[in-house]
Amino acid sequence: MIKEMIHGLREMLIFLFLAVFSKATGAKAYSRGVVIQEGAAYCLSWRLAVEANNVRAWRTVPSQCFRYVETYMLGGQYERDLDLIVGQILSYVNGIAPSSDGMDAWILDVDDTCISNVLYYRGKRYGCDPYDPAAFRAWALKGGCPAIPAVLALFSYLVQSGFKVFLVTGRDQETLGQVTLDNLHYEGFVGYKRLILRTAEFKGQSAVAYKSEIRRQIEEEGYRIWGNVGDQWSDLQGECLGNRTFKLPNPMYFVP
């Protein structure tokens, strides 16, 4: 009886503390010790959960996070995060001694890994609006996606170091093949081994299934995949992943 009273009193004190805390900080308190932060604090937590793949199959960015994601993408933090990750990749690369047989490979995704779509997503409220395949296709057909500087530097270093770089994208080969090749070339992505786009054979397959099969084919050609870089978890899941995978930040959309 006494233990139950003490336990009840403890819960009441915790709840009162949370109520006072929420009033002072703007957080929303719930029973049983759950606190939901509002505004930027919530959006920071949401982005962290997305990047850690704890939030999955999300369709849009929460509407209250529009300004937060805009600030993240344009205010410098996105570039700082990229620089840190690319620095880690380069440290790993420098520990590899490429073989003389020319079969050491890296795989890089294209959209929002090599080239950026942030200008397109600005018009879609940085992912708060639902995905619009027709609008994105029209954007991609313009061939104006700028290079992501940190990844372009990584790409150039890999090529100069003797690695064979495969650029693997979910873009449709029939409609976007030539414009994607031209866009990449114009932005400085020159010297890669192969640009691989989605053909009719893979139509309707998930990104995980499609990219797994592409990597399997690359390995069957005798290549050793030392690293795999992408902005989506679906770039880095499935089969034949390579020796290491590296996830780049992207809080604007989710590709299953």
Side-chain angles (χ1 to χ4, degrees):
M1 181 70 176
I2 295 176
K3 287 184 178 180
E4 291 178 356
M5 291 177 62
I6 293 173
H7 180 73
L9 180 61
R10 182 181 299 166
E11 283 200 346
M12 184 180 298
L13 289 172
I14 290 173
F15 183 78
L16 287 172
F17 169 79
L18 291 171
V20 173
F21 175 80
S22 66
K23 188 173 183 179
T25 63
K28 188 173 181 181
Y30 292 93
S31 60
R32 300 292 180 179
V34 177
V35 178
I36 296 182
Q37 296 283 347
E38 296 177 343
Y42 166 76
C43 295
L44 172 60
S45 298
W46 177 84
R47 183 175 64 81
L48 177 62
V50 163
E51 297 296 359
N53 203 30
N54 291 321
V55 176
R56 301 182 182 183
W58 50 279
R59 296 178 62 84
T60 59
V61 172
S63 59
Q64 67 266 39
C65 297
F66 164 53
R67 291 300 180 192
Y68 172 84
V69 175
E70 178 182 49
T71 300
Y72 173 75
M73 295 302 299
L74 302 182
Q77 189 59 53
Y78 171 67
E79 286 80 8
R80 287 189 288 271
D81 289 350
L82 282 173
D83 288 343
L84 189 148
I85 295 167
V86 169
Q88 293 298 309
I89 298 175
L90 290 172
S91 295
Y92 167 65
V93 171
N94 288 330
I96 303 170
S99 174
S100 59
D101 63 6
M103 302 301 285
D104 296 294
W106 276 75
I107 293 178
L108 272 62
D109 173 53
V110 174
D111 282 299
D112 295 299
T113 296
C114 291
I115 52 178
S116 173
N117 294 298
V118 71
L119 295 177
Y120 166 78
Y121 277 97
R122 182 171 62 185
K124 297 296 182 180
R125 299 193 303 146
Y126 300 97
C128 291
D129 293 342
Y131 177 61
D132 184 341
F136 181 79
R137 188 180 305 110
W139 155 260
L141 282 169
K142 296 178 181 178
C145 300
I148 296 176
V151 179
L152 177 58
L154 169 65
F155 166 84
S156 299
Y157 188 78
L158 289 171
V159 172
Q160 293 166 10
S161 298
F163 293 98
K164 299 298 186 295
V165 179
F166 292 82
L167 304 182
V168 182
T169 174
R171 290 187 176 196
D172 177 64
Q173 179 172 296
E174 183 178 358
T175 57
L176 296 175
Q178 189 60 50
V179 70
T180 301
L181 188 152
D182 293 342
N183 192 163
L184 287 164
H185 188 273
Y186 180 81
E187 292 297 325
F189 289 91
V190 179
Y192 53 82
K193 178 64 178 179
R194 196 179 308 156
L195 170 63
I196 302 173
L197 299 99
R198 188 189 290 261
T199 60
E201 174 187 358
F202 298 104
K203 186 175 182 179
Q205 289 192 8
S206 69
V208 172
Y210 158 60
K211 292 196 171 186
S212 291
E213 176 59 21
I214 295 300
R215 292 190 298 266
R216 185 188 66 78
Q217 293 176 9
I218 291 171
E219 287 190 341
E220 286 186 348
E221 292 179 33
Y223 288 98
R224 297 175 291 274
I225 301 174
W226 284 98
N228 182 9
V229 183
D231 68 295
Q232 297 292 314
W233 279 102
S234 52
D235 298 327
L236 312 174
Q237 295 174 326
E239 305 299 325
C240 307
L241 295 173
N243 198 51
R244 281 197 66 177
T245 61
F246 296 91
K247 170 71 169 66
L248 303 185
N250 185 351
M252 298 186 296
Y253 60 88
F254 177 90
V255 177

